[in-house]
Amino acid sequence: MVPVSEDAVRGVPAGSPGRPFPRPISRWRLSIPSFLLFLLPCMAVAGSPAKGPSGSVSHLPARKAGLWEVTLAAHASQGPGSAMQPEVTVQQCTNAAAEPVMLLALLPAQENCTETRVARRSGQGGGHDIRTECSSDGRPVRGRVSLWGDLQNIYGGDYSVSFPQTPQNNVGPVAFQGRWLGSCRAGQRPGDMILPNGITVNVVDDAARIRAHAHE
């Protein structure tokens, strides 16, 4: 993956002097990397409304509606002997209603979130800093996401996830980049995420099912 620099999201054209054109994002792999299999149960609840101390729902930034291609860089957990996970690319069909689920869908352990804090960075390039307080199997999980760009055509950033009780599982920072491909394709619905092996899951539907089951 060619990381998206802050200059890129500020609108510095690729191919200008000293700035080569980025290489095309790699083709999808034939199998799902093991870390993505771990993420699948988390995607379904990643977008559950997170409330701060006052009980008010935090408002996440939103990407432009349409089809996005998102690439996560190769990375490993911080514990000794952790296996390196390969670069992975997914596509996401989103709109304003689906975006609270879709934006953070690739972060691990974002279920049962009790607080999400969003701060907008000022100055040239802008961006957002997002921090989450969640739990997985009753254990605390803290997430941090830095976003660069206006989320309209291209953006970049990185995320880190920490497990205070099992720090060997900490992940990050993991770089990612996203680019807008255009309108969602015929037959796609907001919430659809196309995995590297071509399988489509709808994380919005999954989130709704899990919330309904939790209230039975």
Side-chain angles (χ1 to χ4, degrees):
M1 181 184 74
V2 175
V4 175
S5 68
E6 293 190 56
D7 285 335
V9 297
R10 289 172 187 164
V12 177
S16 56
R19 299 193 180 280
F21 286 98
R23 68 170 173 82
I25 294 178
S26 61
R27 295 175 62 86
W28 289 353
R29 302 175 188 275
L30 295 178
S31 61
I32 302 176
S34 58
F35 92 96
L36 194 53
L37 287 171
F38 169 71
L39 294 181
L40 286 174
C42 304
M43 293 174 183
V45 284
S48 301
K51 297 186 177 182
S54 66
S56 60
V57 176
S58 300
H59 293 285
L60 290 167
R63 296 170 296 180
K64 180 167 61 175
L67 187 63
W68 286 85
E69 183 177 71
V70 184
T71 298
L72 278 67
H75 65 280
S77 297
Q78 296 176 7
S82 297
M84 178 64 68
Q85 302 294 342
E87 176 181 295
V88 64
T89 297
V90 301
Q91 291 187 353
Q92 298 178 324
C93 172
T94 192
N95 63 7
E99 189 64 354
V101 176
M102 298 298 284
L103 184 65
L104 301 183
L106 290 178
L107 272 70
Q110 292 299 290
E111 65 265 36
N112 304 315
C113 296
T114 58
E115 183 177 349
T116 300
R117 300 187 299 276
V118 181
R120 186 175 184 110
R121 292 197 299 271
S122 59
Q124 187 178 14
H128 297 80
D129 291 315
I130 303 168
R131 296 184 181 274
T132 62
E133 298 282 346
C134 309
S135 66
S136 178
D137 296 326
R139 299 177 179 180
V141 182
R142 299 187 182 112
R144 180 202 59 78
V145 184
S146 292
L147 292 175
W148 308 316
D150 61 6
L151 307 180
Q152 296 301 295
N153 292 290
I154 188 171
Y155 69 95
D158 60 64
Y159 74 80
S160 298
V161 178
S162 63
F163 301 81
Q165 295 181 4
T166 54
Q168 68 273 15
N169 294 329
N170 291 356
V171 177
V174 179
F176 59 82
Q177 66 182 38
R179 60 171 181 165
W180 191 69
L181 301 180
S183 300
C184 295
R185 298 192 178 101
Q188 290 181 329
R189 298 186 299 120
D192 280 354
M193 180 152 58
I194 301 92
L195 303 178
N197 65 346
I199 292 175
T200 296
V201 296
N202 190 287
V203 297
V204 173
D205 289 351
D206 289 344
R209 282 193 293 268
I210 288 179
R211 285 195 297 269
H213 179 72
H215 290 89
E216 289 179 353

